[in-house]
Amino acid sequence: EAHNNYFASLKMYEGIGNKSGITMSYNNIGNVYLIQGKITEARQQSQKSYTVNFQKYFQTFFMFAV
């Protein structure tokens, strides 16, 4: 059930463009996969989280650099 809730929150955060929430949701989904022993899926979710967080960082950086 946690898995479904995390995916629902991911969709909600994606819908409103909340990158922090998206990052957190990917991490949570990855943790569920890790607990289930699904290492490949957990790694994929962690990579997605990293990518979104990286994009968020550079958007903030360039916003203040201008």
Side-chain angles (χ1 to χ4, degrees):
E1 186 172 337
H3 187 265
N4 292 334
N5 291 336
Y6 290 141
F7 269 108
S9 67
L10 173 61
K11 294 297 177 196
M12 180 190 69
Y13 287 128
E14 287 176 335
I16 61 174
N18 184 324
K19 294 206 184 283
S20 295
I22 294 168
T23 298
M24 182 176 58
S25 294
Y26 280 134
N27 274 330
N28 290 336
I29 294 166
N31 287 336
V32 170
Y33 282 137
L34 190 60
I35 290 168
Q36 294 173 342
K38 298 178 179 178
I39 305 303
T40 301
E41 290 88 346
R43 185 179 304 132
Q44 290 170 344
Q45 296 302 313
S46 293
Q47 183 62 42
K48 289 178 184 180
S49 175
Y50 172 80
T51 300
V52 172
N53 204 34
F54 188 75
Q55 291 169 347
K56 183 179 83 169
Y57 168 78
F58 273 102
Q59 285 176 343
T60 303
F61 175 76
F62 286 118
M63 183 172 48
F64 289 111
V66 174

